[in-house]
Structure formats: C-alpha cells, structure tokens
C-alpha cells in the first residue's frame, strides 16, 4: 500500500459516514467548438449516483453534442451542507462509505484527499503530477480553513487527452445568504466556455475568497465607523471640551471591537495570502510539466489565467494593507475606550467624594449637639416647666458655639492647602 493510500485509509477512519438528507448534485459542462457551452445541473436521486459516475443511463452525453467538437468538459459532483449539517465541530460526512469509495475511484481523485477532508485543515492549491502510466493526469486539491458556515473543499483530476476535468466539491451554505461555495459554483457556470483549462476552477476559487474577504473588510469598516460615532472620535473632536457628550455603553463598544478583531484574525487572511502564490506556482508547474512531456499531446495555454491570478494578487495585497490599517485602528480604539472608561471612573469617584463630603458636613453639624444632649440628659429635671426651658437654653448655649467651632475647624482643614497658598502669595506681594 502506498503512502497516499495509507493516508486515505487513516482519514476514512476519522470520518463519520452515513447517508444523510443532503442530496448530491451533478454539474456537467461541455464546451463545444463554434457553439455555446452545454450545461447540465441535476440533483441525483437515490440510486442515480452510480449511473452519473459511469456516465450511463440518463447521464449519457446529450445527443445534440458531437463528441468530435467538444473542446473540453467538466463533470463536478457537489454537495451543499447546511450550517450544522456537516463539518460543524464533527467529522460527519453526508454519504455512505461505499459511495465515497466509488466517488474517489470513478473520478480518479487523489487517495490522500480523504485525509485532507477529515482533518479540515486549509490546503492552498496542492497539485499531484501524473506520469505516462497514468496518462499524465493531474490531480488538484484546495480546501479552506474550517470556518463557521464557510467551509469549502475541492478535489479535481484533469485528463489532458480529453481535456476533461472531474472532481468533487463540498461546501457549507446559509439560507438566504451568499457564501463562497455558492459564489464559486455560479462563477464556474458563468465561465463555462473555458472549462478546458485545468486551473480555471482553482483560479476562480482564489478570486471568490478575495471577494469574500473584501466584503468582510467592508462590513468591519462600517462597524468601526459606528464605534467612532459612539465614542465621538470624528473629525473635529480635538476641538471639543469634552470628547463624549453622552453616556457610552462601554460594554457594547468593547464587545463590538473584540468581535471585529476576531473577524480580522479568523484565518481567512492567512488562507488567501497562501492561496495566491500556491495557485501561481501550480500554474507554472503544470506549464513546465506539459512542455517537458510532449507525448501527452497537450499544450497548456496559461497566459490569460496567469493574468487573472496576478490581478487577484494585487487585490490581495490591497486588502491585506486595509486589514492591517483596521487592526491598528482597533488597537487605538481600545486604548481610547480604556481612557474614556478611566475618565468615567474618575467622574464617578468625584461624585461619590462630593456625596461623602456632604454626609461628613451633616454629621459634624449634628454630632456635637447630639453628644452634648446625651451627656446632660441625665441631669435634666423634667418635673418643672421652668427648669426645662432653662436647660434647653443652656443646651444651645453650650452646643451652638461648639458646633460652630467644629464646622469652622473642618472648613479650615479642608481648605488648608488653599489657605497656605494664599498666605504664600501674600508674603510674596509684600
């Protein structure tokens, strides 16, 4: 058993195969000379998978197509996984194991692909060059990181003798929302007149992920704009006496910033950065391979697809710069948010301090009189009216001056710094 076969067997043991409710679909495209491409996209019912793989029964070449005029073709078996239906924290596969083995065999997919699928690690465009024994067929694998609701996996095999590509494509989708998987499927059908190019789908995959990251960056930029509005960090804020006029919900702003930072560091950027060079390297290797193996009878024209990938690399560089700027902004916003929180804490502390001063003043006003009343109360004679009046006058005669002295001493103590400063200023002026 070869190493690739061993990896495939190991990966199969990690997957949880069962016949789920998610159907398989078959996309077939024939690019016909001097005619529009023929596209057939059908859902495979129970028992139809074997016929589709064998290209028999209802899945024969359409009668109105002349095989001699077919420039190139694509036969892609794909499956859309709803969020939570597959590869959402588990290695659940919506297929029976015997069907999966048939798919690998009939579509000539690389044996190690099952290992890549089971591990759900990103694979940025890996190619396996065949030899004369395998009719110079080329296998290609590309797989995104295990992102929530955006996982994508793709395995293809190109036969230069017939200029045909066969493969399996699986992706996650969300209801009523566009995903990279659906976008790639749409672009493949839109570019159906170039299906004879072995790198077409992988190049389009690169473009789809750049579009995805561009949309995410746009959404994140809008969220950061909201943070600016909430914190008052707009154009002329430096000229304001107070940066924030209204109360800020610091928890909400902090949660939003942390969430946007998580989006920017969720692994898509690393995948896209590695996808561009890997795709270009695959194109160059395929070009060199067919130049060296003229017996394959195939000349790979890759100028147009190279230009497309180079353009996508420029877009990637622009988006990575945008990403870095937003990360720097988030870092700055978090620092500003921390400063604003410190200011708010200081204001709250000042308000608490003022309240404590008021309580202290009230205590000092009433405490001397209360203490004196407590001391003289045992000596008060309540039997005579005149004595009560005399004792009451005596109480205030004693409590009044003491209270005034205590309050005066408190004011002198509280303002001692200012009093010292005033005396120093008076001495300097003399």
């Amino acid at each position: 058993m070869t190493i690739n076969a061993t990896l495939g067997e190991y990966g199969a043991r990690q997957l949880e195969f069962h016949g789920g409710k998610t159907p398989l679909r078959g996309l077939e495209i024939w690019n016909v000379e001097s005619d529009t491409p023929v596209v057939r996209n059908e859902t495979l019912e129970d028992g139809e998978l074997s016929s589709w793989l064998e290209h028999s029964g209802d899945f024969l070449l359409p009668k109105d197509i002349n095989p001699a005029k077919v420039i190139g073709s694509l036969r892609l078996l794909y499956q859309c996984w709803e969020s939570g239906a597959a590869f959402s924290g588990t290695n659940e596969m919506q297929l029976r194991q015997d069907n999966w083995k048939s798919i690998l065999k009939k579509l000539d997919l690389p044996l190690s692909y099952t290992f890549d699928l089971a591990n759900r690690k990103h694979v940025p465009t890996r190619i396996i060059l065949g030899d004369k024994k395998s009719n110079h067929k080329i296998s290609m694998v590309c797989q995104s990181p295990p992102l929530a609701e955006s996982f994508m996996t793709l395995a293809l095999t190109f036969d230069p003798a017939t200029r045909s590509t066969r493969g399996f494509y699986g992706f996650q989708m969300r209801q009523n929302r566009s995903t990279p998987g659906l976008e790639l499927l749409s672009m493949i059908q839109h570019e159906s007149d170039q299906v004879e190019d072995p790198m077409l789908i992988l190049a389009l995959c690169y473009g789809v992920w750049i579009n995805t990251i561009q949309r995410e960056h746009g959404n994140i930029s809008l969220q950061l704009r909201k943070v600016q509005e909430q914190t008052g960090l707009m154009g002329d804020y430096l000229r304001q006496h107070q940066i924030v006029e209204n109360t800020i919900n610091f928890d909400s702003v902090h949660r939003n910033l942390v969430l946007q930072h998580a989006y920017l560091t969720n692994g898509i950027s690393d995948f896209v950065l590695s996808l561009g060079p890997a795709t270009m390297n695959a194109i160059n290797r395929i070009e060199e391979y067919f130049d060296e193996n003229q017996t394959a009878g195939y000349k790979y024209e890759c100028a147009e697809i190279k230009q497309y990938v180079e353009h996508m690399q420029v877009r990637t560089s622009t988006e990575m710069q945008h990403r870095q700027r937003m990360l720097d902004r988030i870092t700055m916003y978090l620092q500003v948010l921390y400063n604003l929180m410190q200011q708010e804490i200081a204001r709250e502390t000042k308000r608490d301090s003022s309240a404590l001063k008021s309580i202290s003043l009230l205590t000092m006003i009433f405490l001397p009189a209360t203490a004196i009343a407590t001391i003289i109360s045992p000596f008060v004679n309540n039997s005579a009216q005149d004595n009560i009046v005399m004792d009451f006058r005596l109480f205030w005669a004693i409590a009044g001056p003491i209270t005034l002295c205590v309050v005066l001493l408190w004011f002198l103590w509280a303002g001692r710094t200012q009093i010292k400063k005033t005396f120093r200023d008076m001495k300097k002026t003399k």
Side-chain angles (χ1 to χ4, degrees):
M1 183 179 290
T2 64
I3 295 177
N4 288 330
T6 302
L7 286 175
E9 290 293 332
Y10 179 72
R13 288 195 297 269
Q14 291 180 290
L15 289 172
E16 300 174 10
F17 292 97
H18 68 83
K21 297 180 180 180
T22 306
L24 285 165
R25 294 182 64 90
L27 173 64
E28 297 174 283
I29 300 175
W30 295 272
N31 191 12
V32 183
E33 184 180 355
S34 303
D35 203 350
T36 57
V38 178
V39 179
R40 185 165 65 187
N41 191 1
E42 299 181 359
T43 301
L44 304 182
E45 304 295 339
D46 292 340
E48 292 184 336
L49 176 61
S50 297
S51 298
W52 192 92
L53 293 173
E54 296 289 347
H55 214 178
S56 61
D58 296 334
F59 303 102
L60 291 169
L61 185 71
K63 295 180 179 180
D64 56 344
I65 295 179
N66 183 355
K69 292 187 176 183
V70 175
I71 301 174
S73 63
L74 169 68
R75 302 191 75 234
L76 188 65
L77 188 69
Y78 68 93
Q79 192 174 46
C80 308
W81 302 308
E82 293 184 5
S83 298
F87 298 101
S88 296
T90 65
N91 280 353
E92 183 177 309
M93 191 71 175
Q94 301 288 302
L95 284 170
R96 296 200 310 269
Q97 188 167 3
D98 58 336
N99 287 339
W100 180 246
K101 289 182 177 180
S102 298
I103 291 170
L104 292 175
K105 182 178 180 181
K106 297 297 181 181
L107 300 181
D108 289 329
L109 301 182
L111 298 176
S112 60
Y113 173 58
T114 306
F115 178 79
D116 296 324
L117 183 60
N119 283 274
R120 293 185 295 157
K121 302 299 182 183
H122 81 268
V123 181
T125 310
R126 184 180 72 236
I127 65 171
I128 303 172
L129 301 174
D131 52 19
K132 187 175 182 180
K133 185 178 180 180
S134 63
N135 296 323
H136 299 281
K137 292 179 182 179
I138 299 175
S139 297
M140 296 159 280
V141 175
C142 182
Q143 186 166 282
S144 74
L147 303 168
E149 303 180 334
S150 297
F151 178 67
M152 174 195 296
T153 181
L154 178 67
L156 304 169
T157 296
F158 175 72
D159 187 350
T162 59
R163 295 189 178 186
S164 62
T165 302
R166 292 171 290 182
F168 174 80
Y169 177 41
F171 60 92
Q172 286 184 302
M173 58 178 289
R174 291 170 286 182
Q175 290 185 353
N176 303 321
R177 293 190 65 181
S178 176
T179 61
L182 287 174
E183 186 177 346
L184 177 59
L185 196 64
S186 176
M187 292 184 69
I188 292 172
Q189 297 180 65
H190 184 267
E191 302 295 333
S192 57
D193 58 341
Q194 299 184 53
V195 293
E196 67 275 8
D197 192 317
M199 288 298 299
L200 172 68
I201 297 178
L202 295 174
L204 292 178
C205 180
Y206 180 31
V208 162
W209 279 104
I210 295 176
N211 293 339
T212 300
I213 201 171
Q214 184 177 22
R215 284 193 297 270
E216 285 204 359
H217 287 174
N219 294 332
I220 293 170
S221 183
L222 289 175
Q223 292 298 322
L224 294 182
R225 180 75 175 185
K226 290 181 180 179
V227 170
Q228 285 182 318
E229 295 173 353
Q230 290 174 328
T231 56
L233 295 175
M234 301 305 288
D236 58 348
Y237 78 96
L238 289 175
R239 294 193 293 270
Q240 299 177 4
H241 295 292
Q242 182 178 340
I243 293 180
V244 182
E245 299 293 340
N246 300 319
T247 303
I248 301 176
N249 187 337
F250 291 108
D251 288 339
S252 175
V253 175
H254 183 264
R255 190 182 304 111
N256 193 7
L257 288 174
V258 172
L259 184 62
Q260 303 315 312
H261 188 277
Y263 286 148
L264 288 172
T265 55
N266 61 1
I268 294 182
S269 299
D270 295 335
F271 174 60
V272 172
L273 277 173
S274 59
L275 189 56
T279 303
M280 183 62 75
N281 179 61
I283 294 173
N284 293 331
R285 287 184 62 193
I286 292 175
E287 184 180 28
E288 294 173 1
Y289 176 73
F290 286 117
D291 286 344
E292 295 171 358
N293 295 276
Q294 297 296 331
T295 54
Y298 177 76
K299 177 65 176 177
Y300 181 40
E301 301 292 341
C302 60
E304 186 175 354
I305 207 76
K306 268 188 175 181
Q307 290 178 358
Y308 176 82
V309 174
E310 288 171 354
H311 174 64
M312 292 300 108
Q313 287 181 312
V314 173
R315 287 184 60 193
T316 300
S317 177
T318 302
E319 290 303 321
M320 292 305 106
Q321 293 174 11
H322 187 197
R323 171 180 177 269
Q324 187 57 51
R325 287 195 297 270
M326 287 191 293
L327 284 171
D328 294 340
R329 286 172 64 188
I330 289 175
T331 301
M332 185 268 290
Y333 290 166
L334 287 171
Q335 183 62 45
V336 170
L337 184 64
Y338 173 77
N339 293 336
L340 292 175
M341 291 173 67
Q342 293 299 316
Q343 292 178 19
E344 185 65 22
I345 292 172
R347 283 193 291 269
E348 291 291 338
T349 303
K350 186 176 180 180
R351 283 194 290 267
D352 293 342
S353 177
S354 299
L356 288 174
K357 286 182 178 180
S358 300
I359 295 172
S360 299
L361 179 59
L362 290 173
T363 302
M364 280 184 291
I365 291 173
F366 290 101
L367 186 59
T370 303
I372 293 170
T374 303
I375 294 171
I376 69 174
S377 60
F379 307 102
V380 175
N381 185 6
N382 296 328
S383 60
Q385 184 68 26
D386 294 337
N387 290 338
I388 294 176
V389 174
M390 184 178 297
D391 291 339
F392 185 72
R393 291 175 180 174
L394 180 62
F395 166 75
W396 280 113
I398 299 172
I402 293 177
T403 300
L404 290 175
C405 290
V406 170
V407 172
L408 179 59
L409 289 173
W410 181 84
F411 275 111
L412 291 174
W413 176 260
R416 64 188 184 281
T417 303
Q418 186 63 34
I419 293 172
K420 289 180 181 179
K421 182 179 179 182
T422 303
F423 275 111
R424 283 197 299 268
D425 293 340
M426 291 173 64
K427 289 180 180 179
K428 288 180 181 179
T429 56
K430 288 181 179 181

